[in-house]
Amino acid sequence: MTKPATSDPTRPTSEKNTQKSVRKTKKKRSVSARKHTGDSFFVAQLASRARRDKVAAPTSFAQLKATLLKDYLDEAQIVEVERAFNYAKAAHKGQYRRTGHPYITHPLAVAQILASMRMDHQSLMAAILHDVIEDTGVAKQTLGSEFGQDVAELVDGVSKLSKIFKTRAEAQAENFQKMALAMARDIRVIMVKMADRLHNMRTIGVMGRDQRKRIARETLDFYAPIANRLGIHHMKVELEELGFQALYPLRADRISRAVAAAKGNRKVLMDEVRRSISRSLMQEGISASVVAREKHVYSIYRKMKAQHKSFEEIMDVFGFRVVVSQADECYRALGIIHNLYKPMAGRFKDYIAIPKANGYQSLHTTLFSMHGIPIEVQIRTKHMDAVAENGIAGHWLYKTSNEADFDSSQQRAREWVRDLLELQQRAGNPLEFIESLKIDLFPDEVYVFTPSGDIMELPRGASPVDFAYAVHTDIGNRCTGARVDGNLAPLSTQLQSGQYVEIVTSPGAKPKAEWLTFVVTGKARSGIRHALKSQQQSEAVELGGKLLDRSLASSNKSIDNLDFRRLRRVFKEFGVRKLDELLAAIGNGDQMAYVVAQRLLAVDDPNYEAVSIEHDGPVHLHGGEGLVVKYARCCGPVPGDAIVGHMTPGKGFVVHIETCANMTEIRRRKPSEIIPARWSATTRAEFFTSLRIDLNRRKGIIAELATTLTDADANIENINVEERSAEVTSVVVTIGVRDRTHLARIMRRVRAIGATISIVRTSS
Ligand code: MN
């Protein structure tokens, strides 16, 4: 058999092919009927149901027009829908479905589903045209000029959505359905796609075993939950029942038989409860419809599996729905019913005051009815019932109903939807509308693809760094860049739903403190903090070791040749447990190296004199020390400057220019805190220092200065402009330079600008 390009049962095949495939399918079916004795009877049933005209081709256009469309569309709109129908019919000419019906019957059936939900005429046109782009090679632009941009966008959206569904990875149902919703630019796209799937499921019986199972599972995993999320109850139920039957025909049959039997047994009791509720309400002047709620096969199956309950336990609970006209009657009805039967404690829920996220409103309560049999009762108004059944579409459905019986809360719900619709029309660009709709559906999430095609859920505003840490802490710690949809992007980029994200890592890379300013996930935040802390810790240990060795050197000792027992005795005194902690304390500036050295040496010799700091060799600096060594902002030392170090508690080792004004006071009061320092022969970093430049004011002078600095390879970190007088502008600029020679060259260049009056380093 020539397989269609895809597994979609509606994908058209050429006439010749179809005739052949129908014949072959029949033949194959009879073979498999002999092979799979368990399911085969039910599979044959599914297939024959799918081929029935009422299921596969439920309507003609004339019929649809005469019944549903005339009900709620105006003449001009119906003409538009008819034009779309004629166009699609011509485009699909010669194509057939596996059921043997002309292809056009499928889009027409999809339109009928939407028309019964009173969807607008553009949605119906999109439904009728939904396979035209993909299956007949008509371009989106062509549809645009033929039927307007809105309809073309809808059809294109449906095609794109179908493609996403095909590329999805397995077992990510929850994320996937959310992503699909978040990506659809117009909620009507989802509605068309859902109706498409519903009709496909009604005719699933003609598919081969593997495809039938796969499509059924996909329906249960993705489509039914989306219908639920949108609050379209009847669609959710039908998708679940059809999906379950197609996936497990035998189990579905057994449960539905058991349901039918149980219903017969309980019918008398159910009727009695229903009548007594009805009567009590009537006596209090509330006219209500009271119906016993149907139990659905798939939901019973799911409860049996998930809650490990027996079929009897689940069927033991009876459900009733009470539908009244006004919201205040809901509460009155609740009181009356609670008076009739004893309510079960803690089971009352008020979804009228606090609706569910999908807009569902109702009162829920559980009571002990006759003979103590528990019953679940839902109480709501007609409008709430329409919304509960049709969700978002319920608002369309209710448009034509009588305005008079709206109470204020229903009115508000209606206004909310009307506002959204108006916003969409006014904006001309549906994005704003979708944004507000999206906010209601997913306030705080984005969904992106990993390179392996998995979907990752992240909070809104998440960056590639958040993504990297979500994949693995090691990836986060070593990330250096990101590709978003194949293009290099800054690590601070805010990710959008549907993007493909790939992290660039390098083995030696380390997290940066500034990442903390844009990451939004706890995992990234704590990952970065932890890495920075251990980085700082190991650097502090290294520096502490250098400083302590330097202090010990005057007595010809070093850490390596100290006696361990001797060290241990000193630990207690400094409140540490091991050598690394002691060294870190020194490196972080919490302990003075010379004090520690003195204690260590005095353990042997109580008369030991304090080491004189003049004997200590200088600390060598190269600029790549990392987090423990800091270069003072007050004076901005650069290689070549005469420097000293100052141990500052909590900050560690801070390098100043020897003549820095801030050192003068310290040198006088606590000379021991000043540590001699030298530059290493090679330095390997950028050092920041500030220049004060006075300039004659003239147009464009600041720009000229900035260009001069950049041309001289100075990295401008900050620039502050101060108007000194009408003639003079004073600029303080902080620049990154390599060393004193580099700085001198920069200053020479600036002096060469004609307008420069003076240039000095702020430290001098
Ligand atoms: Mn279709």
Side-chain angles (χ1 to χ4, degrees):
M1 182 172 79
T2 316
K3 271 198 177 175
T6 73
S7 52
D8 187 334
T10 76
R11 285 283 164 259
T13 47
S14 76
E15 190 166 2
K16 222 171 112 195
N17 249 338
T18 307
Q19 300 305 354
K20 203 160 80 188
S21 72
V22 167
R23 251 184 286 127
K24 284 252 174 139
T25 311
K26 275 183 182 160
K27 206 187 279 170
K28 198 175 174 189
R29 201 154 42 82
S30 60
V31 171
S32 64
R34 262 176 268 125
K35 264 189 190 165
H36 310 276
T37 40
D39 269 1
S40 59
F41 172 74
F42 304 105
V43 171
Q45 246 183 358
L46 280 181
S48 80
R49 190 180 65 195
R51 288 200 180 82
R52 250 181 262 158
D53 286 348
K54 243 175 85 181
V55 175
T59 188
S60 67
F61 187 79
Q63 216 179 336
L64 180 67
K65 189 164 120 181
T67 54
L68 286 168
L69 302 190
K70 283 249 156 60
D71 260 12
Y72 73 104
L73 294 183
D74 63 34
E75 202 47 52
Q77 290 170 335
I78 293 175
V79 168
E80 280 295 280
V81 178
E82 181 149 24
R83 213 158 57 78
F85 168 72
N86 288 326
Y87 189 93
K89 192 180 171 187
H92 288 297
K93 197 170 160 55
Q95 295 178 336
Y96 286 82
R97 302 185 77 220
R98 283 203 188 195
T99 57
H101 295 85
Y103 194 79
I104 188 67
T105 55
H106 163 66
L108 202 52
V110 176
Q112 188 197 32
I113 292 169
L114 295 174
S116 68
M117 296 165 81
R118 301 293 193 272
M119 294 285 293
D120 69 322
H121 75 288
Q122 289 186 333
S123 303
L124 301 188
M125 291 167 75
I128 289 169
L129 296 163
H130 83 265
D131 280 328
V132 156
I133 290 184
E134 251 193 279
D135 291 340
T136 73
V138 172
K140 180 184 167 190
Q141 276 161 313
T142 317
L143 282 188
S145 52
E146 198 70 38
F147 299 105
Q149 211 44 48
D150 280 2
V151 173
E153 288 292 342
L154 288 175
V155 175
D156 188 52
V158 176
S159 306
K160 282 199 179 123
L161 207 55
S162 310
K163 273 192 202 128
I164 294 174
F165 271 101
K166 268 176 224 153
T167 59
R168 64 160 174 76
E170 292 291 333
Q172 294 188 63
E174 170 74 357
N175 279 349
F176 194 83
Q177 32 144 325
K178 288 197 220 158
M179 181 177 198
L181 284 182
M183 281 184 69
R185 291 271 163 116
D186 188 323
I187 200 70
R188 294 177 298 175
V189 169
I190 302 274
M191 299 298 297
V192 175
K193 186 69 204 158
M194 298 295 292
D196 178 32
R197 174 51 61 110
L198 183 56
H199 187 243
N200 284 343
M201 284 308 295
R202 287 176 183 168
T203 56
I204 186 85
V206 290
M207 302 302 289
R209 185 176 184 278
D210 292 349
Q211 290 187 25
R212 168 167 50 80
K213 299 236 165 196
R214 188 183 59 71
I215 293 166
R217 198 178 293 280
E218 191 180 73
T219 300
L220 292 176
D221 286 351
F222 300 129
Y223 288 87
I226 288 176
N228 185 45
R229 196 169 260 271
L230 295 176
I232 314 169
H233 184 70
H234 71 85
M235 206 180 248
K236 175 204 155 203
V237 168
E238 193 180 345
L239 286 171
E240 283 184 348
E241 300 299 89
L242 291 170
F244 185 47
Q245 279 168 26
L247 192 59
Y248 301 120
L250 191 61
R251 291 180 216 185
D253 181 75
R254 286 210 178 131
I255 294 177
S256 68
R257 270 170 211 277
V259 170
K263 224 156 98 183
N265 292 342
R266 285 146 217 253
K267 195 172 181 310
V268 178
L269 190 66
M270 293 278 273
D271 279 351
E272 213 172 320
V273 172
R274 193 171 55 79
R275 268 198 305 272
S276 80
I277 292 176
S278 243
R279 205 183 312 120
S280 305
L281 293 174
M282 194 88 85
Q283 278 164 4
E284 299 293 327
I286 296 175
S287 75
S289 87
V290 181
V291 291
R293 262 157 54 215
E294 289 291 319
K295 292 240 188 259
H296 299 292
V297 172
Y298 183 61
S299 78
I300 292 170
Y301 174 73
R302 205 171 32 198
K303 273 186 197 155
M304 286 168 69
K305 267 191 87 171
Q307 302 170 11
H308 303 289
K309 283 188 175 164
S310 70
F311 178 76
E312 284 70 26
E313 278 175 290
I314 290 160
M315 288 306 287
D316 252 0
V317 183
F318 292 49
F320 291 92
R321 180 171 305 141
V322 177
V323 180
V324 297
S325 320
Q326 315 267 341
D328 64 314
E329 286 178 341
C330 293
Y331 294 96
R332 279 175 56 214
L334 179 78
I336 293 161
I337 295 168
H338 276 188
N339 208 27
L340 182 64
Y341 300 123
K342 187 178 176 317
M344 201 182 280
R347 294 294 296 270
F348 170 65
K349 288 202 183 76
D350 185 349
Y351 293 117
I352 293 181
I354 303 162
K356 285 190 188 179
N358 63 14
Y360 176 87
Q361 284 188 299
S362 216
L363 299 178
H364 287 189
T365 188
T366 305
L367 310 111
F368 298 101
S369 71
M370 291 157 199
H371 318 300
I373 291 170
I375 56 167
E376 288 170 354
V377 179
Q378 301 174 343
I379 307 168
R380 55 202 190 211
T381 65
K382 284 174 193 155
H383 179 225
M384 292 172 195
D385 198 46
V387 173
E389 284 300 309
N390 296 282
I392 285 176
H395 299 288
W396 275 288
L397 188 64
Y398 216 61
K399 255 185 189 168
T400 53
S401 300
N402 185 6
E403 301 267 336
D405 58 2
F406 283 155
D407 72 354
S408 65
S409 79
Q410 288 166 337
Q411 191 66 41
R412 272 202 309 278
R414 222 173 99 88
E415 275 162 10
W416 176 76
V417 175
R418 192 159 49 202
D419 284 352
L420 289 179
L421 290 173
E422 265 171 26
L423 193 67
Q424 184 188 27
Q425 277 154 11
R426 201 162 10 116
N429 133 31
L431 257 174
E432 238 180 308
F433 166 72
I434 296 314
E435 274 309 315
S436 23
L437 213 47
K438 262 197 279 181
I439 281 160
D440 287 315
L441 293 168
F442 318 98
D444 337 287
E445 298 139 37
V446 293
Y447 302 90
V448 295
F449 286 109
T450 68
S452 57
D454 290 342
I455 293 165
M456 182 158 289
E457 175 181 345
L458 292 166
R460 188 153 295 221
S463 64
V465 174
D466 291 294
F467 176 89
Y469 276 99
V471 173
H472 198 279
T473 307
D474 282 348
I475 306 276
N477 285 340
R478 276 182 284 124
C479 85
T480 56
R483 273 177 217 284
V484 174
D485 286 339
N487 303 314
L488 279 174
L491 284 175
S492 59
T493 310
Q494 292 205 352
L495 299 174
Q496 308 292 325
S497 278
Q499 287 178 331
Y500 280 81
V501 185
E502 190 187 333
I503 296 298
V504 183
T505 59
S506 120
K510 287 172 185 168
K512 300 208 165 45
E514 63 257 32
W515 290 356
L516 288 169
T517 61
F518 59 74
V519 297
V520 298
T521 54
K523 189 160 187 220
R525 199 169 289 283
S526 68
I528 296 164
R529 287 229 175 92
H530 185 259
L532 287 176
K533 215 174 147 193
S534 65
Q535 199 178 325
Q536 161 142 18
Q537 182 71 9
S538 65
E539 284 166 6
V541 169
E542 198 188 325
L543 177 71
K546 270 193 211 167
L547 292 170
L548 185 59
D549 261 342
R550 193 179 58 95
S551 289
L552 291 169
S554 58
S555 307
N556 288 323
K557 300 261 184 198
S558 83
I559 298 170
D560 295 336
N561 60 29
L562 281 175
D563 181 60
F564 187 68
R565 271 167 308 173
R566 189 181 294 168
L567 269 169
R568 285 275 294 271
R569 266 147 80 193
V570 177
F571 285 171
K572 217 176 183 179
E573 201 179 326
F574 290 101
V576 299
R577 284 163 305 169
K578 51 185 186 180
L579 181 61
D580 273 5
E581 284 179 23
L582 183 64
L583 296 180
I586 298 169
N588 282 323
D590 298 332
Q591 298 294 344
M592 292 298 145
Y594 79 93
V595 176
V596 175
Q598 190 185 336
R599 292 281 179 285
L600 286 171
L601 300 170
V603 169
D604 276 347
D605 178 4
N607 300 319
Y608 183 80
E609 292 275 327
V611 241
S612 144
I613 60 163
E614 280 78 24
H615 292 133
D616 306 343
V619 176
H620 284 257
L621 298 163
H622 49 71
E625 291 84 5
L627 299 165
V628 181
V629 173
K630 292 187 176 61
Y631 293 86
R633 285 270 149 172
C634 49
C635 47
V638 304
D641 288 334
I643 48 170
V644 292
H646 173 238
M647 292 307 293
T648 314
K651 273 190 182 168
F653 192 89
V654 183
V655 180
H656 291 262
I657 291 183
E658 205 170 9
T659 55
C660 174
N662 288 336
M663 289 298 98
T664 318
E665 174 67 9
I666 291 166
R667 191 174 281 113
R668 199 172 53 75
R669 276 189 307 130
K670 289 184 169 177
S672 58
E673 285 187 10
I674 306 250
I675 299 156
R678 283 277 153 75
W679 296 104
S680 301
T682 54
T683 53
R684 47 156 204 243
E686 193 171 40
F687 298 86
F688 287 93
T689 195
S690 300
L691 299 171
R692 173 181 290 280
I693 306 158
D694 286 351
L695 299 153
N696 281 315
R697 285 188 73 172
R698 70 175 193 220
K699 206 168 168 234
I701 183 63
I702 303 297
E704 192 182 340
L705 172 66
T707 312
T708 307
L709 289 169
T710 314
D711 284 351
D713 249 1
N715 201 353
I716 302 176
E717 196 204 35
N718 189 25
I719 188 158
N720 248 318
V721 182
E722 187 188 314
E723 311 292 331
R724 294 269 295 272
S725 68
E727 292 82 29
V728 179
T729 299
S730 194
V731 178
V732 174
V733 61
T734 304
I735 52 173
V737 301
R738 288 186 293 277
D739 52 28
R740 234 170 119 90
T741 321
H742 184 201
L743 181 62
R745 194 170 68 240
I746 292 162
M747 290 171 76
R748 243 188 344 266
R749 292 259 197 116
V750 173
R751 269 193 209 100
I753 302 174
T756 303
I757 302 165
S758 70
I759 175 166
V760 290
R761 286 179 74 179
T762 54
S763 54
S764 47

